Amino acid sequence: SGPTDSSGAAMVHVDLHSVTQPVGIMRIMAAILTCMCFILVATAGYVSSPYWAWCMFTWCFCFFFTLCILILEFTTLSTKVPFAWDDFTAAFAMLAGLLCLSASIIYPIFFTCSICHRAIGASVVSWVCFAVYAGEVVITRLRPSGQTSGFLSTLPGIMKMLETFFACLIFMSLETGQYSGSPGLQWCIAVYSLCFIFALLISLLTLGQLTLRFPFSFDKLVIVYNVLAAVMYTTAMVIWPLYSFRNNKRPSNCGSPCPWDKLLVVTFMTIFNAIVYMLDSIYSVRLVFCVSRE
């Protein structure tokens, strides 16, 4: 047990190994790099755009949680959390990598120019940050001791993260005027919203180990949801481009970011998410009905 004070209470001690091992060093690098991205873009000036806000949110989110992970591991408080810590950190590294990848693509496309030195610097640093998080994922996966086996580190968990990630990109690209007068597009918005909420809820219930408290098979409930979500997203994959681009060509003098381009982003993210939901449905059916019988 850890050291105790005169009253017999356990004292928190520090773990230097957590910040000197390769994963710890990469987390320190990621925290510094995301902070650099935020500062460079903030000093370059505010831009009224959801894409700019997404990039700033990405770097702030990754910096804050990376710093929290470093502090909790350094003070050994990570051993006292009520969930699988290795599962959480592995999942966060994957999510942070996805977020930084999206910011590294979005920011230079919309907000850099040949004389925008800070914006160019932020774009380069963001790509380096993505590489650091990707390296952490690789090291965590290849680590021989204590393999992660929690939900977020499994294929269903990764697909749930992808589903919520693509949904966030869809919400970021939506504008009220795009769908306010069309029942077909409003159906697509309902699909995006419902599937996002339930995917997030399933992830939180599983991560919090609350699925065993249900009076029925939670796995079979997830299968029903996955199949319904796949069907709903398939309808959105057809309806969204059909209603969005009908008699709607890209304007020649469209600004940056162009509202028409946002419709295109939503279309591709819908297709990607529909594919993920289909794969999730197939895998969950196979896992419950095929593997469980073997």
Side-chain angles (χ1 to χ4, degrees), residues 6 31 56 60-61 161 189-190 231 234 244:
S6 57
M56 291 293 277
C60 291
F61 175 85
M161 280 197 294
I189 301 301
V231 173
T234 302
S244 295

Side-chain angles (χ1 to χ4, degrees), residues 61-131:
F61 175 85
C62 294
F63 169 76
F64 176 77
F65 277 96
T66 302
L67 188 63
C68 286
I69 289 171
L70 282 168
I71 293 172
L72 289 174
E73 291 205 338
F74 182 68
T75 58
T76 66
L77 291 174
S78 59
T79 59
K80 298 177 175 61
V81 295
F83 51 84
W85 179 254
D86 287 340
D87 183 36
F88 169 75
T89 54
F92 170 75
M94 286 184 276
L95 178 61
L98 282 173
L99 290 171
C100 286
L101 176 62
S102 68
S104 302
I105 295 172
I106 291 170
Y107 190 77
I109 287 176
F110 292 113
F111 307 110
T112 58
C113 61
S114 58
I115 58 172
C116 306
H117 303 302
R118 292 178 182 176
I120 293 171
S123 302
V124 173
V125 174
S126 186
W127 276 109
V128 176
C129 195
F130 161 69

Side-chain angles (χ1 to χ4, degrees), residues 131-169:
V132 171
Y133 279 119
E136 183 185 341
V137 172
V138 171
I139 290 176
T140 304
R141 287 291 184 176
L142 296 179
R143 186 168 52 193
S145 60
Q147 286 188 340
T148 55
S149 58
F151 171 72
L152 294 177
S153 298
T154 61
L155 190 57
I158 293 170
M159 285 192 282
K160 281 286 172 282
M161 280 197 294
L162 285 174
E163 290 159 7
T164 53
F165 172 72
F166 286 136
C168 287
L169 294 180

